[in-house]
Amino acid sequence: HFHRTDNLTLMEQTMRERPTVLTNHGYQMICPAEDFYMELGRRVCEKSHVSKSCYLHTCFGKCMSWRPNAARKQYARASWGVKNINSFSAIIYPSHRSHRRFEGLISDPGKHFVLPYFCPIKPLDTVPIKTHEIKTITFLGRIREYKGYRDFIKLLSLLENVRGLMVGDFTE
């Protein structure tokens, strides 16, 4: 299972050896900018996926990194994704909007699933739910300044009868 990686060699090797699922966080597998957004002009790119003009466009539209090495890496990842998207055993998308960007690339629609924001559509009625007198608010993901972990801690200090749980990697 891959959520996100730039290590295409690892992904290729894994896909050769065993069924591999991609949980598609965004558009990084088909768009070098990862979000179909162009800084210059502050507009959404209307392309459905990466093309040869994307790499040239970075010089003028500023949609990818302005650093040439990073831009090459982003372009290589997206080009690889377009070429290999149908080699995954399954791809899970967080929204129908995300799935629509991939539709023109999909050869087997039975391997592509929309699971809204990666949450089950139906409640898990058979799983017993533990209840606690003190509610827990969870911060899940990379614990970075730009993700707002300090705001999370400050919020917890303002609430009564609530505990916080932070789960993720911290490198600052």
Short mmCIF file of all heavy atoms in Angstrom, two decimals, residues 49-93:
data_model
loop_
_atom_site.label_atom_id
_atom_site.label_comp_id
_atom_site.label_asym_id
_atom_site.label_seq_id
_atom_site.Cartn_x
_atom_site.Cartn_y
_atom_site.Cartn_z
N HIS A 49 -4.08 15.71 -17.08
CA HIS A 49 -2.89 15.07 -16.52
C HIS A 49 -1.64 15.67 -17.16
O HIS A 49 -1.73 16.47 -18.08
CB HIS A 49 -2.93 13.55 -16.68
CG HIS A 49 -3.10 13.10 -18.10
ND1 HIS A 49 -2.08 13.08 -19.01
CD2 HIS A 49 -4.20 12.67 -18.76
CE1 HIS A 49 -2.51 12.64 -20.17
NE2 HIS A 49 -3.81 12.40 -20.04
N VAL A 50 -0.49 15.26 -16.67
CA VAL A 50 0.79 15.80 -17.11
C VAL A 50 0.98 15.60 -18.62
O VAL A 50 0.53 14.63 -19.20
CB VAL A 50 1.96 15.15 -16.34
CG1 VAL A 50 2.11 13.69 -16.70
CG2 VAL A 50 3.27 15.89 -16.58
N SER A 51 1.61 16.60 -19.23
CA SER A 51 1.99 16.49 -20.64
C SER A 51 3.39 17.08 -20.77
O SER A 51 3.94 17.63 -19.81
CB SER A 51 1.00 17.26 -21.52
OG SER A 51 1.11 18.65 -21.27
N LYS A 52 3.97 16.96 -21.95
CA LYS A 52 5.34 17.46 -22.15
C LYS A 52 5.42 18.97 -21.90
O LYS A 52 6.45 19.47 -21.49
CB LYS A 52 5.83 17.11 -23.55
CG LYS A 52 6.08 15.63 -23.70
CD LYS A 52 6.59 15.28 -25.07
CE LYS A 52 6.82 13.78 -25.13
NZ LYS A 52 7.28 13.33 -26.41
N SER A 53 4.36 19.68 -22.13
CA SER A 53 4.39 21.13 -21.94
C SER A 53 4.45 21.52 -20.46
O SER A 53 4.81 22.64 -20.13
CB SER A 53 3.19 21.79 -22.61
OG SER A 53 2.00 21.40 -21.97
N CYS A 54 4.12 20.59 -19.55
CA CYS A 54 4.14 20.92 -18.12
C CYS A 54 5.53 21.35 -17.66
O CYS A 54 5.66 22.28 -16.89
CB CYS A 54 3.68 19.72 -17.28
SG CYS A 54 1.92 19.39 -17.38
N TYR A 55 6.56 20.64 -18.13
CA TYR A 55 7.90 20.97 -17.68
C TYR A 55 8.30 22.35 -18.18
O TYR A 55 8.88 23.15 -17.45
CB TYR A 55 8.92 19.92 -18.13
CG TYR A 55 10.26 20.14 -17.51
CD1 TYR A 55 10.48 19.78 -16.19
CD2 TYR A 55 11.29 20.72 -18.21
CE1 TYR A 55 11.70 20.00 -15.58
CE2 TYR A 55 12.52 20.94 -17.63
CZ TYR A 55 12.71 20.58 -16.30
OH TYR A 55 13.92 20.80 -15.71
N LEU A 56 7.96 22.68 -19.43
CA LEU A 56 8.27 24.00 -19.95
C LEU A 56 7.43 25.07 -19.26
O LEU A 56 7.88 26.18 -19.03
CB LEU A 56 8.01 24.04 -21.46
CG LEU A 56 8.90 23.13 -22.29
CD1 LEU A 56 8.45 23.14 -23.74
CD2 LEU A 56 10.36 23.54 -22.17
N HIS A 57 6.22 24.70 -18.92
CA HIS A 57 5.30 25.65 -18.31
C HIS A 57 5.80 26.14 -16.94
O HIS A 57 5.48 27.23 -16.51
CB HIS A 57 3.91 25.05 -18.17
CG HIS A 57 2.87 26.07 -17.89
ND1 HIS A 57 2.54 26.45 -16.61
CD2 HIS A 57 2.12 26.82 -18.71
CE1 HIS A 57 1.62 27.38 -16.66
NE2 HIS A 57 1.34 27.61 -17.93
N THR A 58 6.61 25.34 -16.28
CA THR A 58 7.11 25.74 -14.97
C THR A 58 7.90 27.04 -15.05
O THR A 58 7.92 27.83 -14.12
CB THR A 58 7.95 24.63 -14.31
OG1 THR A 58 8.24 25.03 -12.97
CG2 THR A 58 9.26 24.41 -15.03
N CYS A 59 8.55 27.28 -16.19
CA CYS A 59 9.34 28.50 -16.36
C CYS A 59 8.44 29.73 -16.47
O CYS A 59 8.84 30.83 -16.10
CB CYS A 59 10.20 28.41 -17.60
SG CYS A 59 11.38 27.06 -17.52
N PHE A 60 7.24 29.54 -16.97
CA PHE A 60 6.36 30.69 -17.22
C PHE A 60 5.14 30.71 -16.31
O PHE A 60 4.73 31.75 -15.84
CB PHE A 60 5.91 30.68 -18.69
CG PHE A 60 7.07 30.61 -19.64
CD1 PHE A 60 7.38 29.43 -20.28
CD2 PHE A 60 7.87 31.73 -19.86
CE1 PHE A 60 8.46 29.37 -21.15
CE2 PHE A 60 8.95 31.67 -20.71
CZ PHE A 60 9.25 30.48 -21.36
N GLY A 61 4.54 29.57 -16.05
CA GLY A 61 3.33 29.52 -15.24
C GLY A 61 3.60 29.30 -13.77
O GLY A 61 2.73 29.45 -12.94
N LYS A 62 4.83 28.91 -13.45
CA LYS A 62 5.24 28.69 -12.05
C LYS A 62 4.34 27.69 -11.35
O LYS A 62 4.01 27.85 -10.20
CB LYS A 62 5.26 30.01 -11.27
CG LYS A 62 6.06 31.12 -11.94
CD LYS A 62 7.54 30.82 -11.92
CE LYS A 62 8.34 32.00 -12.40
NZ LYS A 62 8.93 31.88 -13.68
N CYS A 63 3.96 26.62 -12.06
CA CYS A 63 3.10 25.65 -11.39
C CYS A 63 3.90 24.60 -10.64
O CYS A 63 3.42 24.04 -9.68
CB CYS A 63 2.13 24.99 -12.37
SG CYS A 63 2.90 24.03 -13.67
N MET A 64 5.13 24.32 -11.07
CA MET A 64 5.97 23.38 -10.33
C MET A 64 7.00 24.18 -9.53
O MET A 64 7.02 25.40 -9.57
CB MET A 64 6.71 22.44 -11.30
CG MET A 64 5.83 21.43 -11.97
SD MET A 64 6.78 20.16 -12.81
CE MET A 64 7.38 21.03 -14.24
N SER A 65 7.86 23.46 -8.87
CA SER A 65 8.94 24.10 -8.12
C SER A 65 9.80 24.93 -9.06
O SER A 65 10.02 24.56 -10.22
CB SER A 65 9.80 23.02 -7.47
OG SER A 65 10.96 23.60 -6.94
N TRP A 66 10.31 26.02 -8.57
CA TRP A 66 11.20 26.86 -9.37
C TRP A 66 12.62 26.32 -9.34
O TRP A 66 13.48 26.82 -10.03
CB TRP A 66 11.17 28.28 -8.88
CG TRP A 66 9.81 28.90 -8.98
CD1 TRP A 66 8.74 28.41 -9.67
CD2 TRP A 66 9.37 30.10 -8.37
NE1 TRP A 66 7.66 29.23 -9.53
CE2 TRP A 66 8.02 30.28 -8.74
CE3 TRP A 66 9.97 31.05 -7.56
CZ2 TRP A 66 7.29 31.38 -8.33
CZ3 TRP A 66 9.23 32.13 -7.16
CH2 TRP A 66 7.90 32.29 -7.53
N ARG A 67 12.86 25.28 -8.53
CA ARG A 67 14.19 24.66 -8.49
C ARG A 67 14.23 23.58 -9.56
O ARG A 67 13.44 22.64 -9.53
CB ARG A 67 14.43 24.07 -7.11
CG ARG A 67 14.37 25.11 -6.00
CD ARG A 67 14.60 24.47 -4.64
NE ARG A 67 13.96 23.17 -4.52
CZ ARG A 67 12.98 22.90 -3.67
NH1 ARG A 67 12.53 23.81 -2.85
NH2 ARG A 67 12.46 21.70 -3.62
N PRO A 68 15.17 23.65 -10.51
CA PRO A 68 15.20 22.70 -11.63
C PRO A 68 15.25 21.24 -11.21
O PRO A 68 14.54 20.40 -11.78
CB PRO A 68 16.46 23.09 -12.41
CG PRO A 68 16.68 24.53 -12.06
CD PRO A 68 16.20 24.69 -10.64
N ASN A 69 16.05 20.87 -10.20
CA ASN A 69 16.13 19.47 -9.79
C ASN A 69 14.81 18.98 -9.22
O ASN A 69 14.38 17.87 -9.50
CB ASN A 69 17.26 19.27 -8.77
CG ASN A 69 18.62 19.34 -9.42
OD1 ASN A 69 18.75 19.17 -10.63
ND2 ASN A 69 19.63 19.61 -8.64
N ALA A 70 14.17 19.80 -8.40
CA ALA A 70 12.88 19.42 -7.83
C ALA A 70 11.82 19.33 -8.92
O ALA A 70 11.00 18.41 -8.92
CB ALA A 70 12.46 20.42 -6.76
N ALA A 71 11.85 20.25 -9.87
CA ALA A 71 10.88 20.24 -10.97
C ALA A 71 11.04 18.98 -11.81
O ALA A 71 10.05 18.35 -12.20
CB ALA A 71 11.04 21.48 -11.83
N ARG A 72 12.27 18.56 -12.08
CA ARG A 72 12.51 17.33 -12.85
C ARG A 72 11.94 16.12 -12.10
O ARG A 72 11.34 15.23 -12.70
CB ARG A 72 14.00 17.14 -13.11
CG ARG A 72 14.48 17.86 -14.36
CD ARG A 72 15.87 17.38 -14.76
NE ARG A 72 16.89 17.74 -13.80
CZ ARG A 72 17.53 18.91 -13.78
NH1 ARG A 72 17.21 19.84 -14.65
NH2 ARG A 72 18.46 19.14 -12.89
N LYS A 73 12.15 16.10 -10.80
CA LYS A 73 11.66 14.99 -9.98
C LYS A 73 10.12 14.94 -9.98
O LYS A 73 9.52 13.89 -10.13
CB LYS A 73 12.18 15.16 -8.55
CG LYS A 73 11.96 14.02 -7.64
CD LYS A 73 12.57 14.35 -6.29
CE LYS A 73 12.77 13.16 -5.43
NZ LYS A 73 13.35 13.50 -4.14
N GLN A 74 9.50 16.11 -9.84
CA GLN A 74 8.04 16.18 -9.86
C GLN A 74 7.49 15.74 -11.21
O GLN A 74 6.50 15.01 -11.29
CB GLN A 74 7.57 17.59 -9.53
CG GLN A 74 7.84 18.00 -8.10
CD GLN A 74 7.63 19.49 -7.90
OE1 GLN A 74 8.16 20.31 -8.65
NE2 GLN A 74 6.88 19.83 -6.89
N TYR A 75 8.14 16.20 -12.28
CA TYR A 75 7.70 15.84 -13.63
C TYR A 75 7.87 14.34 -13.86
O TYR A 75 6.98 13.68 -14.41
CB TYR A 75 8.48 16.65 -14.66
CG TYR A 75 8.08 16.31 -16.08
CD1 TYR A 75 6.90 16.83 -16.62
CD2 TYR A 75 8.85 15.47 -16.86
CE1 TYR A 75 6.52 16.52 -17.91
CE2 TYR A 75 8.48 15.16 -18.15
CZ TYR A 75 7.32 15.68 -18.67
OH TYR A 75 6.93 15.37 -19.94
N ALA A 76 9.00 13.78 -13.41
CA ALA A 76 9.26 12.34 -13.58
C ALA A 76 8.21 11.52 -12.85
O ALA A 76 7.71 10.52 -13.38
CB ALA A 76 10.66 11.99 -13.08
N ARG A 77 7.86 11.92 -11.61
CA ARG A 77 6.86 11.18 -10.84
C ARG A 77 5.51 11.21 -11.55
O ARG A 77 4.84 10.18 -11.69
CB ARG A 77 6.73 11.76 -9.44
CG ARG A 77 5.72 11.00 -8.58
CD ARG A 77 5.28 11.74 -7.34
NE ARG A 77 4.74 13.03 -7.69
CZ ARG A 77 5.24 14.20 -7.25
NH1 ARG A 77 6.26 14.23 -6.45
NH2 ARG A 77 4.70 15.33 -7.62
N ALA A 78 5.07 12.37 -12.00
CA ALA A 78 3.77 12.49 -12.66
C ALA A 78 3.75 11.74 -13.99
O ALA A 78 2.76 11.08 -14.33
CB ALA A 78 3.41 13.96 -12.85
N SER A 79 4.83 11.81 -14.75
CA SER A 79 4.91 11.08 -16.03
C SER A 79 4.85 9.57 -15.78
O SER A 79 4.16 8.84 -16.50
CB SER A 79 6.20 11.44 -16.77
OG SER A 79 6.20 12.80 -17.10
N TRP A 80 5.56 9.12 -14.75
CA TRP A 80 5.53 7.70 -14.39
C TRP A 80 4.12 7.31 -13.97
O TRP A 80 3.62 6.25 -14.35
CB TRP A 80 6.52 7.43 -13.25
CG TRP A 80 6.59 5.99 -12.86
CD1 TRP A 80 7.45 5.05 -13.36
CD2 TRP A 80 5.75 5.31 -11.91
NE1 TRP A 80 7.20 3.83 -12.78
CE2 TRP A 80 6.17 3.96 -11.88
CE3 TRP A 80 4.71 5.71 -11.09
CZ2 TRP A 80 5.57 3.03 -11.07
CZ3 TRP A 80 4.11 4.77 -10.28
CH2 TRP A 80 4.54 3.44 -10.27
N GLY A 81 3.46 8.16 -13.21
CA GLY A 81 2.10 7.86 -12.74
C GLY A 81 1.12 7.70 -13.89
O GLY A 81 0.32 6.76 -13.91
N VAL A 82 1.19 8.60 -14.88
CA VAL A 82 0.30 8.51 -16.04
C VAL A 82 0.54 7.20 -16.79
O VAL A 82 -0.40 6.51 -17.18
CB VAL A 82 0.50 9.72 -16.97
CG1 VAL A 82 -0.17 9.51 -18.30
CG2 VAL A 82 -0.02 10.99 -16.30
N LYS A 83 1.80 6.83 -16.94
CA LYS A 83 2.16 5.61 -17.66
C LYS A 83 1.75 4.34 -16.91
O LYS A 83 1.35 3.35 -17.52
CB LYS A 83 3.67 5.61 -17.90
CG LYS A 83 4.19 4.41 -18.64
CD LYS A 83 5.69 4.51 -18.79
CE LYS A 83 6.27 3.19 -19.27
NZ LYS A 83 7.72 3.18 -19.20
N ASN A 84 1.82 4.36 -15.58
CA ASN A 84 1.64 3.14 -14.79
C ASN A 84 0.36 3.10 -13.95
O ASN A 84 0.19 2.17 -13.17
CB ASN A 84 2.84 2.95 -13.86
CG ASN A 84 4.09 2.67 -14.64
OD1 ASN A 84 4.28 1.57 -15.15
ND2 ASN A 84 4.95 3.66 -14.78
N ILE A 85 -0.51 4.05 -14.10
CA ILE A 85 -1.67 4.15 -13.21
C ILE A 85 -2.52 2.88 -13.23
O ILE A 85 -3.09 2.48 -12.22
CB ILE A 85 -2.52 5.41 -13.55
CG1 ILE A 85 -3.33 5.82 -12.34
CG2 ILE A 85 -3.40 5.20 -14.76
CD1 ILE A 85 -2.52 6.47 -11.27
N ASN A 86 -2.57 2.20 -14.36
CA ASN A 86 -3.40 0.99 -14.46
C ASN A 86 -2.68 -0.26 -13.98
O ASN A 86 -3.26 -1.35 -13.98
CB ASN A 86 -3.90 0.81 -15.89
CG ASN A 86 -4.95 1.85 -16.23
OD1 ASN A 86 -6.03 1.85 -15.65
ND2 ASN A 86 -4.63 2.76 -17.12
N SER A 87 -1.44 -0.13 -13.54
CA SER A 87 -0.68 -1.28 -13.03
C SER A 87 -0.96 -1.55 -11.56
O SER A 87 -0.62 -2.61 -11.05
CB SER A 87 0.82 -1.04 -13.23
OG SER A 87 1.11 -0.89 -14.60
N PHE A 88 -1.56 -0.60 -10.86
CA PHE A 88 -1.90 -0.81 -9.46
C PHE A 88 -3.06 -1.81 -9.36
O PHE A 88 -3.92 -1.86 -10.24
CB PHE A 88 -2.31 0.50 -8.78
CG PHE A 88 -1.17 1.42 -8.53
CD1 PHE A 88 -0.88 2.44 -9.42
CD2 PHE A 88 -0.37 1.27 -7.41
CE1 PHE A 88 0.18 3.29 -9.19
CE2 PHE A 88 0.70 2.12 -7.17
CZ PHE A 88 0.98 3.13 -8.07
N SER A 89 -3.08 -2.58 -8.29
CA SER A 89 -4.19 -3.53 -8.07
C SER A 89 -5.48 -2.77 -7.81
O SER A 89 -6.56 -3.23 -8.18
CB SER A 89 -3.88 -4.43 -6.88
OG SER A 89 -2.71 -5.16 -7.14
N ALA A 90 -5.35 -1.63 -7.15
CA ALA A 90 -6.52 -0.78 -6.88
C ALA A 90 -6.01 0.62 -6.56
O ALA A 90 -4.88 0.80 -6.10
CB ALA A 90 -7.33 -1.32 -5.71
N ILE A 91 -6.87 1.60 -6.81
CA ILE A 91 -6.58 2.98 -6.41
C ILE A 91 -7.80 3.49 -5.67
O ILE A 91 -8.94 3.31 -6.13
CB ILE A 91 -6.26 3.88 -7.61
CG1 ILE A 91 -5.02 3.36 -8.34
CG2 ILE A 91 -6.05 5.31 -7.15
CD1 ILE A 91 -4.61 4.19 -9.53
N ILE A 92 -7.56 4.09 -4.52
CA ILE A 92 -8.65 4.63 -3.70
C ILE A 92 -8.52 6.15 -3.70
O ILE A 92 -7.45 6.70 -3.43
CB ILE A 92 -8.57 4.08 -2.26
CG1 ILE A 92 -8.62 2.55 -2.29
CG2 ILE A 92 -9.69 4.66 -1.40
CD1 ILE A 92 -8.34 1.89 -0.96
N TYR A 93 -9.61 6.83 -4.03
CA TYR A 93 -9.64 8.29 -4.13
C TYR A 93 -10.44 8.87 -2.97
O TYR A 93 -11.44 8.29 -2.57
CB TYR A 93 -10.30 8.72 -5.45
CG TYR A 93 -9.63 8.13 -6.66
CD1 TYR A 93 -10.07 6.93 -7.21
CD2 TYR A 93 -8.55 8.77 -7.25
CE1 TYR A 93 -9.45 6.38 -8.31
CE2 TYR A 93 -7.94 8.23 -8.37
CZ TYR A 93 -8.39 7.03 -8.90
OH TYR A 93 -7.78 6.49 -9.99
#
